[in-house]
Amino acid sequence: MSRRVTPDSTDESLAFFVYDAITGDPATITASATNLAATYQRYASGRPLAAAVAITPLSDLGSAEQVTHVDGGLIVADAATGEHRLDVPDAAFAAGAEAVRVRVTADGYRVVLGGVTLSSLEADAAAARVAAEAAGENAQLHTRVVNNGDGTKWLQVYPTSVAVEGVDPAPAGWTIRFKINAKGEQVGVEVAA
């Protein structure tokens, strides 16, 4: 489970899930949990750029998901599933790293949190084009980013023979479009003639 964040993004929050370490049942934690700690560590070429940085202070912001971002803020998004939100400091996502690993730990709990890839749609489009050409794709692979005006963008790839999960490879002349929300997360995919 990983998500994309554009370098130098601000006010980013990450979802994570908490489970009781003994029963495995969904659980909730607060800033007062025993030995609660949160850190972030930035990576490039698979190696840490520096030591992990503590996210402090950790503070409870309540249970409403629409609460404004506060660095170190914790929110219980869904107590039934154990889903929480952690507001991560802007420095974690500064340009110069390729990935960020965020860790949350607390005694008596198992925490599940995905990683973060730092990239922009434009950079991903260029990387896809180079990778396809290097792999010897027969057709030229073109990409473009289209703003939808509703906070989402389409990353369009055309013509192509690249497979998309759940979709047969598209024949040349077709377009594969990945819908990306404002947080850089893929929220849809289409194959069109």
Side-chain angles (χ1 to χ4, degrees), residues 38-44 46-55 88 91-93 97-103 115-116 118:
T39 61
Y40 70 85
Q41 190 165 22
R42 297 164 41 84
Y43 289 80
R47 296 175 183 221
L49 293 174
V53 177
I55 300 173
V88 182
F93 306 109
E98 297 168 355
V100 177
R101 178 176 291 157
V102 177
R103 291 185 179 100
V116 177
L118 295 179

mmCIF file with all atom_site columns, all heavy atoms in Angstrom, residues 38-44 46-55 88 91-93 97-103 115-116 118:
data_model
loop_
_atom_site.group_PDB
_atom_site.id
_atom_site.type_symbol
_atom_site.label_atom_id
_atom_site.label_alt_id
_atom_site.label_comp_id
_atom_site.label_asym_id
_atom_site.label_entity_id
_atom_site.label_seq_id
_atom_site.pdbx_PDB_ins_code
_atom_site.Cartn_x
_atom_site.Cartn_y
_atom_site.Cartn_z
_atom_site.occupancy
_atom_site.B_iso_or_equiv
_atom_site.pdbx_formal_charge
_atom_site.auth_seq_id
_atom_site.auth_comp_id
_atom_site.auth_asym_id
_atom_site.auth_atom_id
_atom_site.pdbx_PDB_model_num
ATOM 1   N N   . ALA A 1 38  ? 5.942  8.444  16.437 1.00 0.00 ? 38  ALA A N   1
ATOM 2   C CA  . ALA A 1 38  ? 5.802  8.529  14.985 1.00 0.00 ? 38  ALA A CA  1
ATOM 3   C C   . ALA A 1 38  ? 7.071  9.155  14.433 1.00 0.00 ? 38  ALA A C   1
ATOM 4   O O   . ALA A 1 38  ? 7.612  10.104 15.021 1.00 0.00 ? 38  ALA A O   1
ATOM 5   C CB  . ALA A 1 38  ? 4.585  9.360  14.602 1.00 0.00 ? 38  ALA A CB  1
ATOM 6   N N   . THR A 1 39  ? 7.570  8.604  13.329 1.00 0.00 ? 39  THR A N   1
ATOM 7   C CA  . THR A 1 39  ? 8.770  9.127  12.678 1.00 0.00 ? 39  THR A CA  1
ATOM 8   C C   . THR A 1 39  ? 8.575  9.108  11.174 1.00 0.00 ? 39  THR A C   1
ATOM 9   O O   . THR A 1 39  ? 7.713  8.407  10.652 1.00 0.00 ? 39  THR A O   1
ATOM 10  C CB  . THR A 1 39  ? 10.022 8.279  12.999 1.00 0.00 ? 39  THR A CB  1
ATOM 11  O OG1 . THR A 1 39  ? 9.815  6.941  12.526 1.00 0.00 ? 39  THR A OG1 1
ATOM 12  C CG2 . THR A 1 39  ? 10.325 8.252  14.489 1.00 0.00 ? 39  THR A CG2 1
ATOM 13  N N   . TYR A 1 40  ? 9.392  9.905  10.488 1.00 0.00 ? 40  TYR A N   1
ATOM 14  C CA  . TYR A 1 40  ? 9.474  9.790  9.033  1.00 0.00 ? 40  TYR A CA  1
ATOM 15  C C   . TYR A 1 40  ? 10.944 9.716  8.654  1.00 0.00 ? 40  TYR A C   1
ATOM 16  O O   . TYR A 1 40  ? 11.812 10.241 9.352  1.00 0.00 ? 40  TYR A O   1
ATOM 17  C CB  . TYR A 1 40  ? 8.757  10.930 8.301  1.00 0.00 ? 40  TYR A CB  1
ATOM 18  C CG  . TYR A 1 40  ? 9.430  12.277 8.411  1.00 0.00 ? 40  TYR A CG  1
ATOM 19  C CD1 . TYR A 1 40  ? 10.460 12.648 7.536  1.00 0.00 ? 40  TYR A CD1 1
ATOM 20  C CD2 . TYR A 1 40  ? 9.035  13.206 9.376  1.00 0.00 ? 40  TYR A CD2 1
ATOM 21  C CE1 . TYR A 1 40  ? 11.068 13.878 7.624  1.00 0.00 ? 40  TYR A CE1 1
ATOM 22  C CE2 . TYR A 1 40  ? 9.640  14.436 9.476  1.00 0.00 ? 40  TYR A CE2 1
ATOM 23  C CZ  . TYR A 1 40  ? 10.651 14.778 8.592  1.00 0.00 ? 40  TYR A CZ  1
ATOM 24  O OH  . TYR A 1 40  ? 11.264 16.008 8.689  1.00 0.00 ? 40  TYR A OH  1
ATOM 25  N N   . GLN A 1 41  ? 11.213 9.013  7.555  1.00 0.00 ? 41  GLN A N   1
ATOM 26  C CA  . GLN A 1 41  ? 12.577 8.897  7.052  1.00 0.00 ? 41  GLN A CA  1
ATOM 27  C C   . GLN A 1 41  ? 12.511 9.004  5.532  1.00 0.00 ? 41  GLN A C   1
ATOM 28  O O   . GLN A 1 41  ? 11.688 8.368  4.883  1.00 0.00 ? 41  GLN A O   1
ATOM 29  C CB  . GLN A 1 41  ? 13.211 7.575  7.474  1.00 0.00 ? 41  GLN A CB  1
ATOM 30  C CG  . GLN A 1 41  ? 14.694 7.511  7.187  1.00 0.00 ? 41  GLN A CG  1
ATOM 31  C CD  . GLN A 1 41  ? 15.364 6.361  7.946  1.00 0.00 ? 41  GLN A CD  1
ATOM 32  O OE1 . GLN A 1 41  ? 14.717 5.398  8.343  1.00 0.00 ? 41  GLN A OE1 1
ATOM 33  N NE2 . GLN A 1 41  ? 16.662 6.482  8.136  1.00 0.00 ? 41  GLN A NE2 1
ATOM 34  N N   . ARG A 1 42  ? 13.379 9.843  4.976  1.00 0.00 ? 42  ARG A N   1
ATOM 35  C CA  . ARG A 1 42  ? 13.404 10.098 3.531  1.00 0.00 ? 42  ARG A CA  1
ATOM 36  C C   . ARG A 1 42  ? 14.447 9.203  2.857  1.00 0.00 ? 42  ARG A C   1
ATOM 37  O O   . ARG A 1 42  ? 15.507 8.965  3.417  1.00 0.00 ? 42  ARG A O   1
ATOM 38  C CB  . ARG A 1 42  ? 13.704 11.576 3.287  1.00 0.00 ? 42  ARG A CB  1
ATOM 39  C CG  . ARG A 1 42  ? 12.604 12.471 3.845  1.00 0.00 ? 42  ARG A CG  1
ATOM 40  C CD  . ARG A 1 42  ? 13.006 13.932 3.995  1.00 0.00 ? 42  ARG A CD  1
ATOM 41  N NE  . ARG A 1 42  ? 13.799 14.484 2.923  1.00 0.00 ? 42  ARG A NE  1
ATOM 42  C CZ  . ARG A 1 42  ? 13.330 14.977 1.781  1.00 0.00 ? 42  ARG A CZ  1
ATOM 43  N NH1 . ARG A 1 42  ? 12.017 14.973 1.563  1.00 0.00 ? 42  ARG A NH1 1
ATOM 44  N NH2 . ARG A 1 42  ? 14.128 15.478 0.859  1.00 0.00 ? 42  ARG A NH2 1
ATOM 45  N N   . TYR A 1 43  ? 14.129 8.726  1.648  1.00 0.00 ? 43  TYR A N   1
ATOM 46  C CA  . TYR A 1 43  ? 14.993 7.788  0.920  1.00 0.00 ? 43  TYR A CA  1
ATOM 47  C C   . TYR A 1 43  ? 15.237 8.266  -0.509 1.00 0.00 ? 43  TYR A C   1
ATOM 48  O O   . TYR A 1 43  ? 14.376 8.901  -1.123 1.00 0.00 ? 43  TYR A O   1
ATOM 49  C CB  . TYR A 1 43  ? 14.337 6.407  0.839  1.00 0.00 ? 43  TYR A CB  1
ATOM 50  C CG  . TYR A 1 43  ? 14.301 5.673  2.142  1.00 0.00 ? 43  TYR A CG  1
ATOM 51  C CD1 . TYR A 1 43  ? 13.338 5.962  3.110  1.00 0.00 ? 43  TYR A CD1 1
ATOM 52  C CD2 . TYR A 1 43  ? 15.221 4.675  2.423  1.00 0.00 ? 43  TYR A CD2 1
ATOM 53  C CE1 . TYR A 1 43  ? 13.299 5.284  4.308  1.00 0.00 ? 43  TYR A CE1 1
ATOM 54  C CE2 . TYR A 1 43  ? 15.193 3.988  3.624  1.00 0.00 ? 43  TYR A CE2 1
ATOM 55  C CZ  . TYR A 1 43  ? 14.233 4.300  4.557  1.00 0.00 ? 43  TYR A CZ  1
ATOM 56  O OH  . TYR A 1 43  ? 14.208 3.626  5.747  1.00 0.00 ? 43  TYR A OH  1
ATOM 57  N N   . ALA A 1 44  ? 16.400 7.907  -1.036 1.00 0.00 ? 44  ALA A N   1
ATOM 58  C CA  . ALA A 1 44  ? 16.723 8.071  -2.455 1.00 0.00 ? 44  ALA A CA  1
ATOM 59  C C   . ALA A 1 44  ? 17.544 6.860  -2.863 1.00 0.00 ? 44  ALA A C   1
ATOM 60  O O   . ALA A 1 44  ? 18.405 6.408  -2.101 1.00 0.00 ? 44  ALA A O   1
ATOM 61  C CB  . ALA A 1 44  ? 17.485 9.362  -2.707 1.00 0.00 ? 44  ALA A CB  1
ATOM 62  N N   . GLY A 1 46  ? 16.811 3.893  -2.772 1.00 0.00 ? 46  GLY A N   1
ATOM 63  C CA  . GLY A 1 46  ? 16.616 2.819  -1.811 1.00 0.00 ? 46  GLY A CA  1
ATOM 64  C C   . GLY A 1 46  ? 17.390 2.972  -0.513 1.00 0.00 ? 46  GLY A C   1
ATOM 65  O O   . GLY A 1 46  ? 17.345 2.085  0.337  1.00 0.00 ? 46  GLY A O   1
ATOM 66  N N   . ARG A 1 47  ? 18.080 4.095  -0.330 1.00 0.00 ? 47  ARG A N   1
ATOM 67  C CA  . ARG A 1 47  ? 18.883 4.298  0.884  1.00 0.00 ? 47  ARG A CA  1
ATOM 68  C C   . ARG A 1 47  ? 18.400 5.525  1.650  1.00 0.00 ? 47  ARG A C   1
ATOM 69  O O   . ARG A 1 47  ? 18.004 6.519  1.038  1.00 0.00 ? 47  ARG A O   1
ATOM 70  C CB  . ARG A 1 47  ? 20.350 4.489  0.512  1.00 0.00 ? 47  ARG A CB  1
ATOM 71  C CG  . ARG A 1 47  ? 20.930 3.269  -0.131 1.00 0.00 ? 47  ARG A CG  1
ATOM 72  C CD  . ARG A 1 47  ? 22.330 3.531  -0.577 1.00 0.00 ? 47  ARG A CD  1
ATOM 73  N NE  . ARG A 1 47  ? 22.804 2.324  -1.254 1.00 0.00 ? 47  ARG A NE  1
ATOM 74  C CZ  . ARG A 1 47  ? 24.003 1.843  -1.109 1.00 0.00 ? 47  ARG A CZ  1
ATOM 75  N NH1 . ARG A 1 47  ? 24.877 2.450  -0.346 1.00 0.00 ? 47  ARG A NH1 1
ATOM 76  N NH2 . ARG A 1 47  ? 24.355 0.747  -1.744 1.00 0.00 ? 47  ARG A NH2 1
ATOM 77  N N   . PRO A 1 48  ? 18.487 5.465  2.986  1.00 0.00 ? 48  PRO A N   1
ATOM 78  C CA  . PRO A 1 48  ? 18.084 6.627  3.782  1.00 0.00 ? 48  PRO A CA  1
ATOM 79  C C   . PRO A 1 48  ? 18.982 7.833  3.482  1.00 0.00 ? 48  PRO A C   1
ATOM 80  O O   . PRO A 1 48  ? 20.196 7.693  3.337  1.00 0.00 ? 48  PRO A O   1
ATOM 81  C CB  . PRO A 1 48  ? 18.282 6.175  5.230  1.00 0.00 ? 48  PRO A CB  1
ATOM 82  C CG  . PRO A 1 48  ? 18.419 4.690  5.183  1.00 0.00 ? 48  PRO A CG  1
ATOM 83  C CD  . PRO A 1 48  ? 18.905 4.332  3.817  1.00 0.00 ? 48  PRO A CD  1
ATOM 84  N N   . LEU A 1 49  ? 18.376 8.999  3.388  1.00 0.00 ? 49  LEU A N   1
ATOM 85  C CA  . LEU A 1 49  ? 19.143 10.230 3.203  1.00 0.00 ? 49  LEU A CA  1
ATOM 86  C C   . LEU A 1 49  ? 19.667 10.758 4.534  1.00 0.00 ? 49  LEU A C   1
ATOM 87  O O   . LEU A 1 49  ? 20.649 11.488 4.567  1.00 0.00 ? 49  LEU A O   1
ATOM 88  C CB  . LEU A 1 49  ? 18.276 11.298 2.531  1.00 0.00 ? 49  LEU A CB  1
ATOM 89  C CG  . LEU A 1 49  ? 17.871 10.990 1.095  1.00 0.00 ? 49  LEU A CG  1
ATOM 90  C CD1 . LEU A 1 49  ? 16.894 12.035 0.586  1.00 0.00 ? 49  LEU A CD1 1
ATOM 91  C CD2 . LEU A 1 49  ? 19.100 10.936 0.199  1.00 0.00 ? 49  LEU A CD2 1
ATOM 92  N N   . ALA A 1 50  ? 19.001 10.393 5.610  1.00 0.00 ? 50  ALA A N   1
ATOM 93  C CA  . ALA A 1 50  ? 19.381 10.826 6.961  1.00 0.00 ? 50  ALA A CA  1
ATOM 94  C C   . ALA A 1 50  ? 18.649 9.925  7.953  1.00 0.00 ? 50  ALA A C   1
ATOM 95  O O   . ALA A 1 50  ? 17.838 9.089  7.569  1.00 0.00 ? 50  ALA A O   1
ATOM 96  C CB  . ALA A 1 50  ? 19.000 12.288 7.180  1.00 0.00 ? 50  ALA A CB  1
ATOM 97  N N   . ALA A 1 51  ? 18.942 10.131 9.209  1.00 0.00 ? 51  ALA A N   1
ATOM 98  C CA  . ALA A 1 51  ? 18.263 9.364  10.262 1.00 0.00 ? 51  ALA A CA  1
ATOM 99  C C   . ALA A 1 51  ? 16.779 9.713  10.290 1.00 0.00 ? 51  ALA A C   1
ATOM 100 O O   . ALA A 1 51  ? 16.362 10.776 9.800  1.00 0.00 ? 51  ALA A O   1
ATOM 101 C CB  . ALA A 1 51  ? 18.896 9.679  11.617 1.00 0.00 ? 51  ALA A CB  1
ATOM 102 N N   . ALA A 1 52  ? 15.979 8.814  10.842 1.00 0.00 ? 52  ALA A N   1
ATOM 103 C CA  . ALA A 1 52  ? 14.549 9.063  11.001 1.00 0.00 ? 52  ALA A CA  1
ATOM 104 C C   . ALA A 1 52  ? 14.338 10.301 11.874 1.00 0.00 ? 52  ALA A C   1
ATOM 105 O O   . ALA A 1 52  ? 15.105 10.567 12.795 1.00 0.00 ? 52  ALA A O   1
ATOM 106 C CB  . ALA A 1 52  ? 13.861 7.855  11.621 1.00 0.00 ? 52  ALA A CB  1
ATOM 107 N N   . VAL A 1 53  ? 13.292 11.060 11.552 1.00 0.00 ? 53  VAL A N   1
ATOM 108 C CA  . VAL A 1 53  ? 12.958 12.286 12.272 1.00 0.00 ? 53  VAL A CA  1
ATOM 109 C C   . VAL A 1 53  ? 11.666 12.055 13.049 1.00 0.00 ? 53  VAL A C   1
ATOM 110 O O   . VAL A 1 53  ? 10.669 11.594 12.486 1.00 0.00 ? 53  VAL A O   1
ATOM 111 C CB  . VAL A 1 53  ? 12.772 13.461 11.287 1.00 0.00 ? 53  VAL A CB  1
ATOM 112 C CG1 . VAL A 1 53  ? 12.349 14.728 12.024 1.00 0.00 ? 53  VAL A CG1 1
ATOM 113 C CG2 . VAL A 1 53  ? 14.048 13.699 10.477 1.00 0.00 ? 53  VAL A CG2 1
ATOM 114 N N   . ALA A 1 54  ? 11.683 12.377 14.336 1.00 0.00 ? 54  ALA A N   1
ATOM 115 C CA  . ALA A 1 54  ? 10.485 12.215 15.163 1.00 0.00 ? 54  ALA A CA  1
ATOM 116 C C   . ALA A 1 54  ? 9.433  13.246 14.759 1.00 0.00 ? 54  ALA A C   1
ATOM 117 O O   . ALA A 1 54  ? 9.753  14.404 14.482 1.00 0.00 ? 54  ALA A O   1
ATOM 118 C CB  . ALA A 1 54  ? 10.832 12.381 16.637 1.00 0.00 ? 54  ALA A CB  1
ATOM 119 N N   . ILE A 1 55  ? 8.184  12.807 14.709 1.00 0.00 ? 55  ILE A N   1
ATOM 120 C CA  . ILE A 1 55  ? 7.063  13.707 14.470 1.00 0.00 ? 55  ILE A CA  1
ATOM 121 C C   . ILE A 1 55  ? 6.523  14.078 15.842 1.00 0.00 ? 55  ILE A C   1
ATOM 122 O O   . ILE A 1 55  ? 5.906  13.255 16.515 1.00 0.00 ? 55  ILE A O   1
ATOM 123 C CB  . ILE A 1 55  ? 5.975  13.041 13.606 1.00 0.00 ? 55  ILE A CB  1
ATOM 124 C CG1 . ILE A 1 55  ? 6.553  12.641 12.245 1.00 0.00 ? 55  ILE A CG1 1
ATOM 125 C CG2 . ILE A 1 55  ? 4.779  13.975 13.443 1.00 0.00 ? 55  ILE A CG2 1
ATOM 126 C CD1 . ILE A 1 55  ? 5.599  11.836 11.381 1.00 0.00 ? 55  ILE A CD1 1
ATOM 127 N N   . VAL A 1 88  ? 1.369  14.757 8.688  1.00 0.00 ? 88  VAL A N   1
ATOM 128 C CA  . VAL A 1 88  ? 2.826  14.660 8.592  1.00 0.00 ? 88  VAL A CA  1
ATOM 129 C C   . VAL A 1 88  ? 3.415  16.040 8.299  1.00 0.00 ? 88  VAL A C   1
ATOM 130 O O   . VAL A 1 88  ? 2.868  16.793 7.491  1.00 0.00 ? 88  VAL A O   1
ATOM 131 C CB  . VAL A 1 88  ? 3.214  13.655 7.487  1.00 0.00 ? 88  VAL A CB  1
ATOM 132 C CG1 . VAL A 1 88  ? 4.721  13.498 7.388  1.00 0.00 ? 88  VAL A CG1 1
ATOM 133 C CG2 . VAL A 1 88  ? 2.547  12.307 7.754  1.00 0.00 ? 88  VAL A CG2 1
ATOM 134 N N   . ALA A 1 91  ? 8.217  19.025 5.889  1.00 0.00 ? 91  ALA A N   1
ATOM 135 C CA  . ALA A 1 91  ? 9.624  18.685 5.628  1.00 0.00 ? 91  ALA A CA  1
ATOM 136 C C   . ALA A 1 91  ? 9.785  17.246 5.136  1.00 0.00 ? 91  ALA A C   1
ATOM 137 O O   . ALA A 1 91  ? 10.728 16.945 4.402  1.00 0.00 ? 91  ALA A O   1
ATOM 138 C CB  . ALA A 1 91  ? 10.462 18.909 6.888  1.00 0.00 ? 91  ALA A CB  1
ATOM 139 N N   . ALA A 1 92  ? 8.882  16.376 5.515  1.00 0.00 ? 92  ALA A N   1
ATOM 140 C CA  . ALA A 1 92  ? 8.970  14.971 5.082  1.00 0.00 ? 92  ALA A CA  1
ATOM 141 C C   . ALA A 1 92  ? 8.869  14.853 3.565  1.00 0.00 ? 92  ALA A C   1
ATOM 142 O O   . ALA A 1 92  ? 9.462  13.960 2.970  1.00 0.00 ? 92  ALA A O   1
ATOM 143 C CB  . ALA A 1 92  ? 7.869  14.143 5.742  1.00 0.00 ? 92  ALA A CB  1
ATOM 144 N N   . PHE A 1 93  ? 8.144  15.768 2.933  1.00 0.00 ? 93  PHE A N   1
ATOM 145 C CA  . PHE A 1 93  ? 7.862  15.668 1.508  1.00 0.00 ? 93  PHE A CA  1
ATOM 146 C C   . PHE A 1 93  ? 8.639  16.677 0.662  1.00 0.00 ? 93  PHE A C   1
ATOM 147 O O   . PHE A 1 93  ? 8.330  16.885 -0.507 1.00 0.00 ? 93  PHE A O   1
ATOM 148 C CB  . PHE A 1 93  ? 6.357  15.803 1.265  1.00 0.00 ? 93  PHE A CB  1
ATOM 149 C CG  . PHE A 1 93  ? 5.559  14.824 2.088  1.00 0.00 ? 93  PHE A CG  1
ATOM 150 C CD1 . PHE A 1 93  ? 4.793  15.246 3.146  1.00 0.00 ? 93  PHE A CD1 1
ATOM 151 C CD2 . PHE A 1 93  ? 5.635  13.469 1.811  1.00 0.00 ? 93  PHE A CD2 1
ATOM 152 C CE1 . PHE A 1 93  ? 4.074  14.329 3.914  1.00 0.00 ? 93  PHE A CE1 1
ATOM 153 C CE2 . PHE A 1 93  ? 4.928  12.550 2.570  1.00 0.00 ? 93  PHE A CE2 1
ATOM 154 C CZ  . PHE A 1 93  ? 4.146  12.982 3.626  1.00 0.00 ? 93  PHE A CZ  1
ATOM 155 N N   . ALA A 1 97  ? 14.082 13.757 -2.274 1.00 0.00 ? 97  ALA A N   1
ATOM 156 C CA  . ALA A 1 97  ? 13.934 12.339 -1.910 1.00 0.00 ? 97  ALA A CA  1
ATOM 157 C C   . ALA A 1 97  ? 13.024 11.680 -2.941 1.00 0.00 ? 97  ALA A C   1
ATOM 158 O O   . ALA A 1 97  ? 12.275 12.350 -3.645 1.00 0.00 ? 97  ALA A O   1
ATOM 159 C CB  . ALA A 1 97  ? 13.346 12.186 -0.520 1.00 0.00 ? 97  ALA A CB  1
ATOM 160 N N   . GLU A 1 98  ? 13.114 10.353 -3.027 1.00 0.00 ? 98  GLU A N   1
ATOM 161 C CA  . GLU A 1 98  ? 12.241 9.593  -3.920 1.00 0.00 ? 98  GLU A CA  1
ATOM 162 C C   . GLU A 1 98  ? 11.100 8.928  -3.170 1.00 0.00 ? 98  GLU A C   1
ATOM 163 O O   . GLU A 1 98  ? 10.087 8.579  -3.762 1.00 0.00 ? 98  GLU A O   1
ATOM 164 C CB  . GLU A 1 98  ? 13.056 8.521  -4.653 1.00 0.00 ? 98  GLU A CB  1
ATOM 165 C CG  . GLU A 1 98  ? 14.123 9.094  -5.550 1.00 0.00 ? 98  GLU A CG  1
ATOM 166 C CD  . GLU A 1 98  ? 15.094 8.034  -6.031 1.00 0.00 ? 98  GLU A CD  1
ATOM 167 O OE1 . GLU A 1 98  ? 15.013 6.858  -5.598 1.00 0.00 ? 98  GLU A OE1 1
ATOM 168 O OE2 . GLU A 1 98  ? 15.962 8.391  -6.844 1.00 0.00 ? 98  GLU A OE2 1
ATOM 169 N N   . ALA A 1 99  ? 11.310 8.698  -1.878 1.00 0.00 ? 99  ALA A N   1
ATOM 170 C CA  . ALA A 1 99  ? 10.301 8.006  -1.077 1.00 0.00 ? 99  ALA A CA  1
ATOM 171 C C   . ALA A 1 99  ? 10.412 8.463  0.371  1.00 0.00 ? 99  ALA A C   1
ATOM 172 O O   . ALA A 1 99  ? 11.449 8.971  0.804  1.00 0.00 ? 99  ALA A O   1
ATOM 173 C CB  . ALA A 1 99  ? 10.501 6.493  -1.159 1.00 0.00 ? 99  ALA A CB  1
ATOM 174 N N   . VAL A 1 100 ? 9.325  8.256  1.097  1.00 0.00 ? 100 VAL A N   1
ATOM 175 C CA  . VAL A 1 100 ? 9.282  8.583  2.522  1.00 0.00 ? 100 VAL A CA  1
ATOM 176 C C   . VAL A 1 100 ? 8.648  7.400  3.240  1.00 0.00 ? 100 VAL A C   1
ATOM 177 O O   . VAL A 1 100 ? 7.622  6.879  2.800  1.00 0.00 ? 100 VAL A O   1
ATOM 178 C CB  . VAL A 1 100 ? 8.441  9.855  2.789  1.00 0.00 ? 100 VAL A CB  1
ATOM 179 C CG1 . VAL A 1 100 ? 8.347  10.140 4.277  1.00 0.00 ? 100 VAL A CG1 1
ATOM 180 C CG2 . VAL A 1 100 ? 9.020  11.049 2.038  1.00 0.00 ? 100 VAL A CG2 1
ATOM 181 N N   . ARG A 1 101 ? 9.276  6.967  4.319  1.00 0.00 ? 101 ARG A N   1
ATOM 182 C CA  . ARG A 1 101 ? 8.696  5.909  5.147  1.00 0.00 ? 101 ARG A CA  1
ATOM 183 C C   . ARG A 1 101 ? 8.268  6.550  6.468  1.00 0.00 ? 101 ARG A C   1
ATOM 184 O O   . ARG A 1 101 ? 9.079  7.164  7.158  1.00 0.00 ? 101 ARG A O   1
ATOM 185 C CB  . ARG A 1 101 ? 9.703  4.804  5.417  1.00 0.00 ? 101 ARG A CB  1
ATOM 186 C CG  . ARG A 1 101 ? 9.101  3.713  6.322  1.00 0.00 ? 101 ARG A CG  1
ATOM 187 C CD  . ARG A 1 101 ? 10.030 2.560  6.523  1.00 0.00 ? 101 ARG A CD  1
ATOM 188 N NE  . ARG A 1 101 ? 10.137 1.850  5.248  1.00 0.00 ? 101 ARG A NE  1
ATOM 189 C CZ  . ARG A 1 101 ? 11.162 1.077  4.929  1.00 0.00 ? 101 ARG A CZ  1
ATOM 190 N NH1 . ARG A 1 101 ? 12.165 0.919  5.744  1.00 0.00 ? 101 ARG A NH1 1
ATOM 191 N NH2 . ARG A 1 101 ? 11.186 0.443  3.765  1.00 0.00 ? 101 ARG A NH2 1
ATOM 192 N N   . VAL A 1 102 ? 6.995  6.406  6.777  1.00 0.00 ? 102 VAL A N   1
ATOM 193 C CA  . VAL A 1 102 ? 6.447  6.918  8.032  1.00 0.00 ? 102 VAL A CA  1
ATOM 194 C C   . VAL A 1 102 ? 6.147  5.720  8.907  1.00 0.00 ? 102 VAL A C   1
ATOM 195 O O   . VAL A 1 102 ? 5.575  4.734  8.454  1.00 0.00 ? 102 VAL A O   1
ATOM 196 C CB  . VAL A 1 102 ? 5.176  7.758  7.787  1.00 0.00 ? 102 VAL A CB  1
ATOM 197 C CG1 . VAL A 1 102 ? 4.577  8.229  9.104  1.00 0.00 ? 102 VAL A CG1 1
ATOM 198 C CG2 . VAL A 1 102 ? 5.485  8.948  6.875  1.00 0.00 ? 102 VAL A CG2 1
ATOM 199 N N   . ARG A 1 103 ? 6.557  5.800  10.167 1.00 0.00 ? 103 ARG A N   1
ATOM 200 C CA  . ARG A 1 103 ? 6.295  4.710  11.121 1.00 0.00 ? 103 ARG A CA  1
ATOM 201 C C   . ARG A 1 103 ? 5.528  5.262  12.317 1.00 0.00 ? 103 ARG A C   1
ATOM 202 O O   . ARG A 1 103 ? 5.818  6.347  12.796 1.00 0.00 ? 103 ARG A O   1
ATOM 203 C CB  . ARG A 1 103 ? 7.614  4.105  11.607 1.00 0.00 ? 103 ARG A CB  1
ATOM 204 C CG  . ARG A 1 103 ? 8.364  3.331  10.566 1.00 0.00 ? 103 ARG A CG  1
ATOM 205 C CD  . ARG A 1 103 ? 9.606  2.669  11.177 1.00 0.00 ? 103 ARG A CD  1
ATOM 206 N NE  . ARG A 1 103 ? 10.313 1.896  10.179 1.00 0.00 ? 103 ARG A NE  1
ATOM 207 C CZ  . ARG A 1 103 ? 11.394 2.321  9.538  1.00 0.00 ? 103 ARG A CZ  1
ATOM 208 N NH1 . ARG A 1 103 ? 11.890 3.497  9.809  1.00 0.00 ? 103 ARG A NH1 1
ATOM 209 N NH2 . ARG A 1 103 ? 11.984 1.554  8.636  1.00 0.00 ? 103 ARG A NH2 1
ATOM 210 N N   . GLY A 1 115 ? 3.807  3.194  2.450  1.00 0.00 ? 115 GLY A N   1
ATOM 211 C CA  . GLY A 1 115 ? 4.869  4.135  2.141  1.00 0.00 ? 115 GLY A CA  1
ATOM 212 C C   . GLY A 1 115 ? 4.376  5.229  1.216  1.00 0.00 ? 115 GLY A C   1
ATOM 213 O O   . GLY A 1 115 ? 3.237  5.241  0.768  1.00 0.00 ? 115 GLY A O   1
ATOM 214 N N   . VAL A 1 116 ? 5.282  6.160  0.929  1.00 0.00 ? 116 VAL A N   1
ATOM 215 C CA  . VAL A 1 116 ? 4.965  7.292  0.071  1.00 0.00 ? 116 VAL A CA  1
ATOM 216 C C   . VAL A 1 116 ? 6.042  7.410  -0.992 1.00 0.00 ? 116 VAL A C   1
ATOM 217 O O   . VAL A 1 116 ? 7.230  7.367  -0.686 1.00 0.00 ? 116 VAL A O   1
ATOM 218 C CB  . VAL A 1 116 ? 4.903  8.609  0.887  1.00 0.00 ? 116 VAL A CB  1
ATOM 219 C CG1 . VAL A 1 116 ? 4.657  9.795  -0.028 1.00 0.00 ? 116 VAL A CG1 1
ATOM 220 C CG2 . VAL A 1 116 ? 3.832  8.525  1.962  1.00 0.00 ? 116 VAL A CG2 1
ATOM 221 N N   . LEU A 1 118 ? 7.539  9.973  -3.799 1.00 0.00 ? 118 LEU A N   1
ATOM 222 C CA  . LEU A 1 118 ? 7.513  11.383 -4.174 1.00 0.00 ? 118 LEU A CA  1
ATOM 223 C C   . LEU A 1 118 ? 7.717  11.496 -5.676 1.00 0.00 ? 118 LEU A C   1
ATOM 224 O O   . LEU A 1 118 ? 8.774  11.175 -6.201 1.00 0.00 ? 118 LEU A O   1
ATOM 225 C CB  . LEU A 1 118 ? 8.619  12.162 -3.451 1.00 0.00 ? 118 LEU A CB  1
ATOM 226 C CG  . LEU A 1 118 ? 8.474  12.246 -1.932 1.00 0.00 ? 118 LEU A CG  1
ATOM 227 C CD1 . LEU A 1 118 ? 9.619  13.017 -1.329 1.00 0.00 ? 118 LEU A CD1 1
ATOM 228 C CD2 . LEU A 1 118 ? 7.162  12.891 -1.557 1.00 0.00 ? 118 LEU A CD2 1
#
